[in-house]
Amino acid sequence: MELRMTTTFPDVSISTERLVLRPYEDADIAAHTEMMNDEMVTAWTSVPHPYTAADSEAWVRRIAPAERTEGRGIVLAVTEFLTQRLVGVVHLQNTNWRTLSTEVSYVTAPWARGEGYATESVLAVAQWLFRNQKFERMELRTAADNTASQQVAQKIGCISEGVLRNAWIARTRPDDGSGAWVDIRTDLIVWSLLPEDLEADRLAEAGYASYTDWN
């Protein structure tokens, strides 16, 4: 008989020098809708396209909260500390409570790219996950041509473990003038981060502070 352990992450907010990561609120619906309709998000994720206000309402009010309450993971809206503007989202999913491992994914709004926000937010979540929640592994999967996501993985110290061949469906717009999106098969690169990968000296060398302000 299989021994099953069921638990949930706490309802948490995490702060860094520039960001606050917190549960989604109704006030985020419009900004979330705009972010999820960005071409890069459409290309590399499996979200609906076009992404409607109804999709956002379902995400904010039902889908995202259920990830935590039903034990699958946790969804955190990433916001600027000063402006409270929605920067992106960090999502822990496919959580295994027996092995204490989980998979992270993230999206950054177009206006916020190039500022290091994705790296800062994912690193903060990793520190909280390992130090506060005592997890032993965080996994990340990036499409083979999604170099921006791969750079985030590298910056926080993830180790590339291999390739899942033909394992993902991305989307592209052929140069035929139609403007339609077409599904394409692609490989996934598997990355992992372990607690020992977040040693203080490694973080200092990378230029990141230690983010410990969570409640």
Side-chain angles (χ1 to χ4, degrees), residues 54-161:
D55 291 324
S56 275
E57 290 171 3
W59 174 258
V60 169
R61 297 171 181 171
R62 178 174 55 83
I63 300 171
E67 284 291 277
R68 188 188 70 82
T69 59
E70 296 179 10
R72 292 187 294 272
I74 189 171
V75 175
L76 294 169
V78 182
T79 62
E80 277 190 325
F81 176 75
L82 292 178
T83 67
Q84 300 182 24
R85 191 175 180 184
L86 184 68
V87 167
V89 56
V90 176
H91 183 186
L92 296 182
Q93 57 193 333
N94 301 323
T95 303
N96 187 316
W97 293 98
R98 185 172 186 273
T99 62
L100 295 177
S101 63
T102 191
E103 180 183 341
V104 66
S105 61
Y106 43 86
V107 169
T108 304
W111 67 268
R113 292 172 189 156
E115 300 294 331
Y117 284 154
T119 302
E120 186 172 326
S121 58
V122 176
L123 179 59
V125 169
Q127 290 182 308
W128 168 79
L129 183 71
F130 292 147
R131 298 175 183 176
N132 186 269
Q133 299 300 304
K134 308 303 181 186
F135 265 56
E136 295 293 340
R137 174 182 170 89
M138 187 175 78
E139 186 173 299
L140 170 62
R141 300 182 178 194
T142 62
D145 292 329
N146 190 350
T147 55
S149 187
Q150 292 162 25
Q151 287 172 357
V152 172
Q154 292 169 336
K155 285 179 181 178
I156 67 172
C158 289
I159 303 300
S160 175
E161 293 185 335

Side-chain angles (χ1 to χ4, degrees), residues 10-15 20-21 23 128 132-133 212-215:
D11 192 7
V12 70
S13 293
I14 301 171
S15 298
V20 176
L21 289 73
W128 168 79
N132 186 269
Q133 299 300 304
T212 57
D213 184 15
W214 48 68
N215 52 56

